[in-house]
Amino acid sequence: MQPGGVPDMQQILAQAQKMQEQLMSAQEDLANAETTGSAGGGLVTATVTGAGELKSLTIDPKVVDPDDVETLADLVVAAVRDASTSAQQLAQERMGPLAGGLGGLGLPGM
């Protein structure tokens, strides 16, 4: 800060630029990261990117019962939900510090 308590705009802009670069890097890392979730003791597994895109789904043939499709559907939903929750936690871990950094710009009210 300059004398008198006025924030230095150059410093604020440089800090904002750095945060933007960090945010873009974290977003790219998340897009490339993958998390796996499972259900039914591993009979159904789902892989999701950090951005939430479903990449793969694996179903053990033992769980396929033509007379009980509902159970299979429930297991698929549970596995995808598990993987998505892991992806959200990963995003929060990687993006949380960046979101919290907005208050560090020295601007009132931030």
Side-chain angles (χ1 to χ4, degrees), residues 59-78:
I59 300 172
D60 189 308
K62 289 185 271 185
V63 77
V64 179
D65 179 357
D67 296 326
D68 189 12
V69 177
E70 293 84 17
T71 297
L72 177 57
D74 290 344
L75 290 172
V76 169
V77 169

Side-chain angles (χ1 to χ4, degrees), residues 66-107:
D67 296 326
D68 189 12
V69 177
E70 293 84 17
T71 297
L72 177 57
D74 290 344
L75 290 172
V76 169
V77 169
V80 172
R81 185 178 296 135
D82 187 37
S84 294
T85 299
S86 294
Q88 289 172 351
Q89 289 172 343
L90 181 64
Q92 195 170 33
E93 288 170 11
R94 296 203 181 161
M95 303 298 277
L98 295 173
L102 292 176
L105 290 178
L107 298 176

